[in-house]
Each structure stands twice: as C-alpha cells, then as structure tokens.
Amino acid sequence: MNMTGIEIRNNRRGTASAIDLQQLRFAVVASDYGSFRRAADVLSIKHTVLSRSIGQLEYLVGTSLFERSSGGIKPTIAGQAVLRIARLILEQVDILVETGRSGGRGDTGHLVIGFYTSVSTGNLRATIGEFKKLLPQIELATMERSRFHLMTALRNGTVDVVVSPGRLACLDVKSLLLWSERILISLPQDHHLAAREIIYWADLRNEKILLSKIDPGRELEDLLISKLASPDDRPAVERHDVSRGIIKNLTSMGMGLSLVMESDIGASFAGLVYRELHDGTGPSRVDFFAHWRDDNENPALNRFLNLLAERYPSLPPALEG
C-alpha cells in the first residue's frame, strides 16, 4: 500500500514532502502494541520494513515519535500529539472509503419514491417496508402527489421512481409492470347491494358514484366508462375536489358509492363495506407500474429496482446485477 494522503512542508529540507497513510497506520499500530516487532507480526510485514517506515515518518515530521528501549517503545510527548492526529486522519479516511464503497453499491444514499396510491396496505407498503429493512442506511423519502406533479418531479430529478396505476406517458422514462389490484366498490353497510358478495358493473346503473378529482380518480372513471360503454347504463358520477379519505367519509354518510383500489381498504371506516366488482370475465383489476428516468444513475434506485425484480419475478432479468 502506497497511498499519498497528506503533504507537509519540511523546513529542514526546504521541499514539500509527502507522508504516506501507510506510515501513519504503521505508527498507530506500533503505539497500540508497544513494540515494533509485535506490530510487524500483526501487520504481516518484516520488522525492518515497519521500523524503516516509522523512521521516515519521524524524519518528515522533524521529531522522534517513540522512546525506544529493550522493553519496547512508548510515544514521546510530541509523538502523542502526532499519533492523536494520525488516528483522526485514518478514521476519516476509512469513513471516506466506506462511504464511497457503500454509496456505489447503493447501501447508502438517498431515494425518493413518488406515488398517488395508498400505502395503508398492499404491495407498495410491503415493498417499501422490506426495502427499508434490508437497507436501513439509505435515506428514504416518499412523495404523494397528483399525476402531473409526479411527472414533473420525475423529469427534474426530484423523485427517483414513481409507482402508480397505469403507465405514465413521458419521454426517456422506463416503465415496468409490477402487480395488479382488484377494483372494489365501497358502500354503506345498510345499502341494499351490501348483502351481495359480488357486485357487477351493471348493478351500478341506478347508483351515484363519488369520485375524487385527485388521482387515481381518473383511472377509476375511465374504467367505469369502459365497463359501461353506453351512457344510459352509467350511474351518475359526482366529482369532489377532496382526498380519497374524504370520499370514504361521504360514502359512509350515505351520499353515494365509491370505487376504490384494493390497497385503499387498509384504513377502515365505520359503517363501510367493500365488495368485488365483476364483469362477465371475473374481477376487475388495474395494473401498477414503476417508472424511472433512463439516465438516473442513483445506485439506491438500482437497489430498489432489484428488490422489485425479486418480489415480482415477471420483471425482466435485465434489472439484475
């Protein structure tokens, strides 16, 4: 090892001389063991190599670091001051190297996950929880915003990855299918449809559906239109500029029914029940995707994508490694 880490001015020589980190490390180990010979054995080097290296260090700093005797060595007063600084330097260098290595592996760093779906239950909650458990040193931040704000954040680098129902249309953004969730109907427990285990889209014809203007309300309305193509078959739709939680409150008050995704049912509301929505082929589902910029080189992002690849093996093997 021959790393040049510090440069000092040696007045006796009048030239700039470099001190090796190796010299500092040898001196610290020698001080710890009180013997050049024992330190050399611990470092697996020849005694003469260690002794010569420490002698060069003493020459460069212009003072003796150790009092030598047949019983071993002990630091001089000047040596104690030099060795104290040497330990600080070596500790900082070790931290620097480990930070670089762990950051390159994605073990540390910063990751921002954007979403506009619930994390009260379901796959997103489980994935974020597992990621934080596996890599606790990564500073993890989450951002819940509308589709427009998330796309802006993805483009300007404020967010690293967006997990959302449906694909986000944007240039230079990669998308991967993760999972799908059932679409459920939320209704008051005393509603006449609550007695059924399964509700069909056509059963909603004479109902009022409450939707949030906040995402993913748009996906749910698009799905409603696709299932009931004829306007005469569609229920009345009321759009409210409130959160999904407020929509649940309004539903529990009997003001209408609401469409929810499976991950939204983790936070329970008194007086509400949930039923599966079916068409002729079975349960209705919405696909979830991960989106990230192709030029994002954040190692923590790569670790998150690798975790997604492990949790959802339908992902292509290109994410691995």
Side-chain angles (χ1 to χ4, degrees):
M1 175 175 166
N2 186 26
M3 299 175 60
T4 300
I6 311 167
E7 195 170 83
I8 63 171
R9 176 73 61 180
N10 187 314
N11 291 326
R12 288 189 299 135
R13 299 177 62 190
T15 59
S17 302
I19 293 178
D20 275 351
L21 292 176
Q22 177 176 265
Q23 293 169 336
L24 298 181
R25 201 172 297 277
F26 284 1
V28 167
V29 174
S31 176
D32 289 342
Y33 284 88
S35 166
F36 286 171
R37 191 170 300 278
R38 285 199 295 270
D41 290 341
V42 169
L43 294 168
S44 299
I45 61 174
K46 292 181 178 180
H47 169 266
T48 54
V49 172
L50 182 134
S51 180
R52 183 169 58 250
S53 177
I54 293 178
Q56 291 171 346
L57 176 62
E58 290 177 320
Y59 176 73
L60 291 171
V61 299
T63 188
S64 294
L65 302 180
F66 298 101
E67 295 178 2
R68 295 154 171 86
S69 69
S70 58
I73 60 170
K74 71 174 185 178
T76 62
I77 294 177
Q80 291 175 13
V82 170
L83 288 167
R84 184 169 58 252
I85 296 172
R87 291 181 192 278
L88 293 174
I89 292 170
L90 292 172
E91 287 175 4
Q92 293 302 310
V93 169
D94 288 343
I95 292 171
L96 182 149
V97 172
E98 179 54 30
T99 298
R101 287 174 178 171
S102 61
R105 294 191 304 264
D107 293 344
T108 61
H110 185 79
L111 181 72
V112 182
I113 302 174
F115 57 91
Y116 57 92
T117 182
S118 174
V119 292
S120 61
T121 187
N123 291 295
L124 182 57
R125 176 188 176 92
T127 300
I128 292 176
E130 183 174 347
F131 182 75
K132 192 62 181 174
K133 181 178 179 181
L134 290 172
L135 298 165
Q137 299 304 315
I138 291 181
E139 183 182 350
L140 181 63
T142 56
M143 175 188 297
E144 184 179 17
R145 296 289 190 276
S146 69
R147 177 197 305 268
F148 173 79
H149 284 93
L150 285 177
M151 287 311 306
T152 300
L154 196 60
R155 283 194 297 266
N156 64 28
T158 306
V159 65
D160 293 294
V161 59
V162 171
V163 178
S164 69
R167 279 192 171 92
L168 302 180
C170 184
L171 295 176
D172 303 322
V173 170
K174 286 189 172 182
S175 299
L176 284 173
L177 173 64
L178 300 181
W179 64 79
S180 66
E181 290 188 10
R182 295 175 299 158
I183 299 300
L184 308 176
I185 187 73
S186 171
L187 60 164
Q189 61 185 7
D190 58 356
H191 193 278
H192 69 94
L193 290 176
R196 304 185 187 182
E197 290 299 320
I198 294 173
I199 296 176
Y200 291 89
W201 287 94
D203 295 331
L204 304 180
R205 184 180 299 112
N206 298 318
E207 303 296 333
K208 180 190 296 181
I209 302 298
L210 308 178
L211 290 175
S212 170
K213 291 183 180 179
I214 302 172
D215 295 319
R218 196 172 82 182
E219 275 84 6
L220 299 177
E221 185 168 0
D222 289 345
L223 186 62
L224 175 64
I225 292 173
S226 71
K227 297 298 183 181
L228 300 172
S230 172
D232 294 336
D233 291 334
R234 293 176 200 157
V237 174
E238 279 189 4
R239 300 167 188 83
H240 295 259
D241 192 12
V242 296
S243 68
R244 296 188 299 275
I246 298 299
I247 291 292
K248 287 185 179 182
N249 275 304
L250 296 177
T251 303
S252 68
M253 293 165 58
M255 295 182 62
L257 313 185
S258 60
L259 300 177
V260 297
M261 289 182 293
E262 193 171 359
S263 58
D264 267 327
I265 66 175
S268 60
F269 276 76
L272 278 187
V273 296
Y274 301 93
R275 296 291 182 262
E276 276 195 357
L277 271 172
H278 283 222
D279 57 19
T281 61
S284 300
R285 310 187 74 90
V286 168
D287 293 330
F288 279 69
F289 292 81
H291 309 83
W292 71 96
R293 281 180 50 161
D294 194 20
D295 59 354
N296 189 333
E297 298 180 353
N298 182 357
L301 170 62
N302 193 53
R303 294 299 297 271
F304 184 71
L305 295 176
N306 284 337
L307 176 61
L308 292 179
E310 294 172 5
R311 289 181 59 85
Y312 309 104
S314 61
L315 298 182
L319 286 180
E320 299 176 1

